Each structure stands twice: as C-alpha cells, then as structure tokens.
Amino acid sequence: MTAVLIFLDHAGASLAKSERELLSLAGSLGDVSVALAGDAEQTYLDGIGSYGVQECYRPEGDVTQVLVAGKAAFVTDAVRAAGADVVLLGNSYEAKEIAARAAIRLEAGVITDVVSLDDELTATKADFAGSYTVTCRVTTDVAVLTVKPNSFEAVEAGAPVSPREVRIPVDAEPAAAHITGRVDKPVSGRPELSEARVVVAGGRGVEGNFGPLEELADALGGAVGASRAATDAGWIEHSAQVGQTGKTVSPQLYVSVGISGAVQQRAGMQTSKVIVAINKDADSPIFEIADFGIVGDLFAVLPQATDEIRKRGL
C-alpha cells in the first residue's frame, strides 16, 4: 500500500476546500498521514481524522518564523518518519518552494501544477507557459507533487476521529533570516483566488475600474483576478495577478474581462473548466480558448449580466 504524506500549512479553524481535495486525493492513493506546520483547534484535527488520517506530525517548536526553510526541514523529517512514498502539497508559490527544498533533501523528484493523477502516479500538467499539456511521472523512490486547487473532487468526510500526534524535533539553527515584520492583508470577504470556483479577471481594458468586475464576482460568489498589465498599473494588488508570473487558477468558471489573452496570461488560467471572454476586440487571442465569447463594451455587458444573475438568484 502506498504511504502518502500531506503537508498542511494550517490557517483556519476548519479545513479549507483545497485541503479537503488533497485529503480526498491522498485517500484514493493509499494510507494517509499529515504534516501540520502550525497550531490547530480540535475541530480542525477532527476534520483531518474524518478523512482516515491515522497520524498527524507536528513540529516541536515554531517553524513559521523563518520563511520556508523551517517548514521544508520539518516536511523532510516528517516524510522520513512516516516512510512516505508520495508527498502532496498545495500549489502556492510557498508550497512549491517547500516542495523543492524538501525534494533536494530527500533526493526526490518533483512535479508541480498537477491537475490529474492516476493510480500509477502519472501526473497531468500544463507546461511551457501553458503551450502543452503533458503527462509525467517521478522515477525516484519518493514523489513530491504540488496540486492545483479545483482539480480533484473533495469527497464527504466520515465520522470525526482524532489522529495520533507525533512530534518532530525542529532544527534550532534554520538557514534563513528571521522575519522582522508583517503586514496583514485586507479582508475582502471573497474566496482566496487560487481556491475560488469562480474567478472574474480584468486586464488593460478595464481602464482602472474594477467595480463592475467586483460586483459580478460577488453575485457569483467568486474571486477577482487581474492580468499583469492591470497590477503593474497599480489598479489592483499584485496578489490578484493570474498568469505565468502570477497565480495559477483552475476554477469551474473563469470570466476574462478586457484581457487580450497573451500566452503568459493564458498559462495561469487555461485549465479552467469553462472560460467566458468579454472583449471589444473580436480578434483578441483570448477568444481562441474561450468556451463562450462576447464582443462588446465590458461596462455595458457586466452590469447587465450581474443584474440578471441577481434576478435569477444564481
């Protein structure tokens, strides 16, 4: 039976959707254990246990104050303690760096941006800025995989069970600088961009006005994203950037508004299940990959769409 270890960087009182997806995927592969970086409430631990997790590895000390170095060292030791064959992480920039650092220590192969995985651990992912969809497989004894949110179904949890806790010693001299300050990110009330089932993204065509996009996103219960041109212009924070040099998203619905659809931007969203493009230029490359396209003024189209969605209670 394959031994699977999931790294969870706890941030809430209950399991996030992406965490439930990882737990569901792991359960389909073999025996599951969890490496949990931070403190967690009992309800969170019960949630982990409800997915059949028997062991939860915790660090003896704080691994969150040294950027990713402490977390990578902790993951490495947890993999060895669990005898894991497969390591699963999320797909954030931080998770990818942790995966790379841990893989070097473990002499393991790494596959990032996984959107599909079969029983033989053959992964499907986009590559070369999204120009190709490739299948690949790790050939080392341990496989380290980062998984895109919304790529796997989160199955229903079972009865709450508290997994057995195993403490892992932490290196007292991590090779990284200490964090000297933090700034809290403003809370919008919208889902996190990489986990959202609906993303409404704007580009140069919004001309600095993201108001209509925010209203549509709120009507759909989605998140707001942007192209690099929009973030570089200062119209929206850089954490909202979708693309090759931004976040990679794979929602059920992606609404592209005023974005031309250059290859760098497409690399971050073309695995979306349904793509709707709104652009006044009928020759925009985004229409080549869109499932539905609207040629028109976004400032006329979006308010009508938002009003109709609210009328229908969608």
Side-chain angles (χ1 to χ4, degrees):
M1 178 70 78
T2 302
V4 185
L5 179 80
I6 304 173
F7 173 68
L8 299 179
D9 196 356
H10 174 63
S14 59
L15 290 169
K17 178 175 177 290
S18 60
E19 293 174 325
R20 291 187 282 111
E21 291 170 354
L22 283 177
L23 287 162
S24 300
L25 170 60
S28 70
L29 298 175
D31 295 328
V32 185
S33 56
V34 163
L36 184 60
D39 293 331
E41 298 177 15
Q42 189 59 46
T43 53
Y44 187 90
L45 297 175
D46 289 342
I48 292 173
S50 69
Y51 280 89
V53 176
Q54 299 298 313
E55 292 183 328
C56 180
Y57 294 89
R58 307 282 294 279
E60 285 186 346
D62 190 355
V63 297
T64 65
Q65 296 299 316
V66 287
L67 304 179
V68 299
K71 295 177 182 178
F74 164 60
V75 169
T76 303
D77 291 340
V79 170
R80 290 171 175 158
D85 306 301
V86 180
V87 186
L88 300 180
L89 303 92
N91 205 57
S92 65
Y93 284 130
E94 182 172 303
K96 289 179 180 179
E97 185 170 350
I98 292 170
R101 288 172 178 259
I104 290 172
R105 292 168 176 255
L106 295 165
E107 297 184 350
V110 182
I111 303 176
T112 60
D113 305 312
V114 174
V115 297
S116 178
L117 190 67
D118 67 17
D119 294 338
E120 300 299 321
L121 299 182
T122 299
T124 301
K125 60 169 290 185
D127 217 338
F128 296 103
S131 300
Y132 298 92
T133 298
V134 300
T135 56
C136 45
R137 190 173 188 274
V138 170
T139 58
T140 54
D141 292 337
V142 177
V144 181
L145 312 174
T146 72
V147 181
K148 278 189 178 182
N150 299 310
S151 298
F152 298 88
E153 285 296 323
V155 301
E156 291 295 326
V161 176
S162 294
R164 183 173 70 91
E165 184 175 296
V166 180
R167 287 287 178 172
I168 300 292
V170 178
D171 185 356
E173 298 294 335
H178 284 271
I179 296 172
T180 58
R182 296 178 185 269
V183 177
D184 291 335
K185 180 180 178 180
V187 178
S188 68
R190 301 186 184 99
E192 203 282 324
L193 182 60
S194 61
E195 294 187 5
R197 293 179 64 84
V198 176
V199 173
V200 181
R204 189 177 282 109
V206 308
E207 300 175 355
N209 182 7
F210 271 80
L213 284 76
E214 292 172 346
E215 291 184 5
L216 178 59
D218 290 342
L220 292 169
V224 176
S227 68
R228 180 168 183 172
T231 59
D232 284 350
W235 298 340
I236 191 170
E237 60 187 12
H238 281 279
S239 61
Q241 183 184 335
V242 175
Q244 186 176 5
T245 55
K247 292 184 177 178
T248 301
V249 299
S250 186
Q252 298 296 315
L253 171 64
Y254 184 91
V255 184
S256 172
V257 183
I259 300 176
S260 64
V263 64
Q264 293 86 351
Q265 206 276 332
R266 290 162 61 169
M269 47 68 70
Q270 65 183 6
T271 57
S272 304
K273 304 303 183 292
V274 176
I275 300 172
V276 176
I278 303 171
N279 200 299
K280 63 183 178 181
D281 181 4
D283 295 324
S284 291
I286 190 64
F287 289 118
E288 297 174 5
I289 63 169
D291 298 287
F292 302 94
I294 302 172
V295 179
D297 182 355
L298 68 91
F299 296 106
V301 173
L302 290 187
Q304 293 180 59
T306 302
D307 289 344
E308 192 63 29
I309 288 167
R310 286 174 174 163
K311 286 177 184 176
R312 299 188 180 207
L314 299 177

